[in-house]
């Protein structure tokens, strides 16, 4: 009985650290303490926050091993500093998105359970841009670890479907000299992506196409097509169609790579994959290996293989013969 109670208690408290972390980022605490050590009073006054509330949050972040205490001052642990210093590693946009996600989930989950309908509204252009920045922030980290698992020796052209602002495309170009990447996304993201790479070393190597990935033309003749964290946004019929369209864009011998969250065939594990099915509510899902590999075979792909990137994410690829 004690063990079961402690398990439930841990699950309940896991939500509090998540919200504490995302809120501390949103309020600028982590960014301030990434620059230098400071007292609670200095942080609260500089950010116009409540001193008592800041003190409690800062000390909780010490317990979470995000901050370290040095006498009366506090500072972000060294390994975390790049994630809150405004450079290419900065994860603040993703934590901002996570904060919104937790707010929306908490406010809507009961309504969904009782009515079967998740309250929704159209996202504003600014919200679309915030989401794109969030995906770029977290996507850079995922891209670096994932591309270590992909043989890029003969890859010279890449199609990144739903590639947002081009974070995966940039990593491909960094890895392979002369490689050219095409990013396909909604028109707003395509325009923002072009602007992000204007006057950079990759401006002539990364191009952007805007449109609907379920109907508009991708072009053809690519060595590799990528669907990174895209299939979970769609119902089965649309996910299958998207894989077929991606396969059709490949040259003979080209590969389709799917990167997404893992869920086992009984759909009861791992924990992250099962929770993400809730986050996708009625418009998407976390798809099993059997789902994805089956859609690949239906699209004419062969040599299908799976690699686990971590306990909650996998890479599934197939080749066009």
């Amino acid at each position: 009985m004690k063990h079961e109670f402690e398990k439930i208690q841990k699950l309940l408290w896991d939500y509090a650290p998540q919200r504490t972390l995302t809120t501390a980022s949103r309020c600028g605490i982590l960014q301030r303490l990434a620059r230098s050590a400071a007292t609670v009073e200095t942080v609260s006054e500089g950010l116009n926050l409540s001193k008592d509330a800041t003190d409690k949050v800062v000390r909780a972040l010490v317990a979470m091993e995000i901050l370290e205490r040095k006498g009366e001052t506090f500072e972000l642990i060294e390994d975390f500093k790049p994630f809150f210093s405004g450079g290419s590693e900065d994860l603040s946009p993703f934590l901002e998105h996570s904060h919104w996600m937790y707010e929306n989930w908490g406010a809507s989950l009961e309504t969904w359970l009782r009515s079967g309908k998740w309250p929704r509204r159209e996202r504003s252009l600014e919200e679309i841009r915030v989401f794109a920045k969030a995906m770029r922030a977290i996507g850079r980290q995922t891209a670096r670890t994932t591309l270590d698992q992909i043989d890029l020796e003969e890859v010279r052209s890449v199609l990144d479907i739903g590639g947002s602002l081009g974070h995966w495309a940039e990593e491909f170009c960094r890895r392979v000299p002369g490689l050219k990447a095409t990013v396909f996304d909604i028109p707003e993201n395509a325009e923002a992506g072009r602007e992000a790479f204007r006057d950079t070393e990759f401006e002539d190597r990364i191009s952007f196409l805007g449109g609907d990935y379920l109907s508009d033309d991708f072009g053809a003749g690519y060595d590799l097509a990528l669907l990174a964290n895209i299939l979970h946004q769609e119902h089965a019929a649309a996910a299958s169609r998207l894989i077929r369209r991606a396969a059709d864009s490949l040259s003979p011998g080209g590969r389709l790579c799917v990167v997404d969250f893992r869920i086992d065939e009984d759909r009861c594990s791992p924990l992250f994959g099962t929770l993400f099915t809730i986050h996708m509510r009625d418009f998407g899902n976390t798809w099993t290996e059997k789902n994805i590999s089956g859609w690949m075979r239906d699209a004419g792909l062969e040599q299908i293989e799976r690699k686990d990137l971590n306990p909650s994410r996998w890479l599934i690829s197939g080749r066009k013969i």
Side-chain angles (χ1 to χ4, degrees):
M1 182 70 72
K2 179 183 177 183
H3 173 73
E4 283 73 15
F5 172 75
E6 289 176 347
K7 180 181 290 187
I8 291 173
Q9 188 175 45
K10 180 182 184 300
L11 288 171
L12 291 173
W13 274 103
D14 276 348
Y15 180 74
Q18 292 167 352
R19 293 306 305 274
T20 302
L21 178 65
T22 61
T23 304
S25 174
R26 197 167 189 243
C27 292
I29 294 172
L30 300 179
Q31 291 82 349
R32 171 60 186 84
L33 294 177
R35 296 200 303 271
S36 63
T39 64
V40 167
E41 185 173 17
T42 298
V43 173
S44 60
E45 289 182 356
L47 297 173
N48 195 28
L49 302 174
S50 160
K51 181 181 177 181
D52 181 61
T54 301
D55 182 75
K56 291 180 178 179
V57 167
V58 162
R59 292 175 192 277
L61 290 167
V62 173
M64 293 164 58
E65 300 181 340
I66 302 295
L67 303 180
E68 57 184 342
R69 182 184 177 190
K70 300 178 177 179
E72 293 304 309
T73 67
F74 300 84
E75 188 172 8
L76 200 67
I77 288 176
E78 193 67 31
D79 288 346
F80 288 117
K81 288 184 179 180
F83 300 139
F84 298 97
S85 298
S88 63
E89 305 290 321
D90 197 286
L91 287 178
S92 300
F94 180 73
L95 293 186
E96 173 72 17
H97 166 68
S98 296
H99 184 89
W100 172 85
M101 183 178 71
Y102 295 138
E103 290 272 355
N104 185 50
W105 196 345
S108 304
L109 186 56
E110 184 175 350
T111 299
W112 182 50
L113 277 168
R114 294 188 181 280
S115 69
K117 296 180 180 179
W118 192 285
R120 66 177 63 193
R121 60 178 176 79
E122 290 295 320
R123 287 190 296 181
S124 67
L125 182 58
E126 180 58 27
E127 286 173 324
I128 291 173
R129 287 173 176 164
V130 168
F131 177 77
K133 289 179 180 178
M135 295 304 99
R136 185 177 188 182
I138 193 65
R140 281 173 167 156
Q141 308 297 328
T142 307
R144 287 167 187 163
T145 57
T146 302
L147 293 195
D148 289 339
Q149 304 298 319
I150 300 175
D151 181 5
L152 299 176
E153 185 175 352
E154 298 182 0
V155 176
R156 294 296 177 269
S157 60
V158 170
L159 170 66
D160 184 2
I161 302 168
S164 191
L165 302 185
H167 43 276
W168 283 84
E170 181 178 356
E171 188 61 23
F172 273 108
C173 289
R174 289 190 186 280
R175 299 281 180 113
V176 182
L179 180 147
K180 292 198 173 183
T182 300
V183 180
F184 191 100
D185 212 301
I186 60 174
E188 295 88 346
N189 283 349
E191 181 56 36
R194 292 186 198 101
E195 185 60 34
F197 286 101
R198 187 163 289 132
D199 298 325
T200 72
E201 61 181 307
F202 299 115
E203 181 177 14
D204 295 332
R205 296 177 60 194
I206 301 176
S207 59
F208 289 83
L209 295 176
D212 182 342
Y213 59 38
L214 291 174
S215 58
D216 291 328
D217 186 28
F218 296 149
Y222 299 101
D223 298 321
L224 187 147
L226 176 70
L227 288 166
N229 304 313
I230 299 300
L231 291 187
H232 63 240
Q233 300 179 38
E234 302 295 342
H235 288 298
S240 174
R241 175 176 172 78
L242 191 49
I243 282 182
R244 183 176 294 278
R245 299 195 77 233
D248 288 344
S249 75
L250 294 170
S251 293
R255 283 172 293 160
L256 170 61
C257 293
V258 171
V259 179
D260 222 312
F261 301 118
R262 182 171 76 82
I263 194 164
D264 294 342
E265 294 302 326
D266 64 4
R267 308 191 68 81
C268 292
S269 62
L271 177 60
F272 188 88
T274 63
L275 291 175
F276 207 80
T277 65
I278 299 173
H279 181 55
M280 291 294 97
R281 51 262 194 192
D282 59 347
F283 64 81
N285 215 333
T286 313
W287 299 111
T288 68
E289 179 183 8
K290 184 177 181 180
N291 292 142
I292 297 170
S293 61
W295 294 330
M296 285 185 171
R297 281 190 291 272
D298 290 344
L301 299 180
E302 301 180 14
Q303 300 178 16
I304 297 168
E305 63 176 357
R306 159 190 163 183
K307 294 181 180 180
D308 290 340
L309 302 173
N310 55 48
S312 62
R313 195 187 299 266
W314 54 23
L315 163 67
I316 299 176
S317 62
R319 187 178 295 274
K320 184 175 184 177
I321 303 301

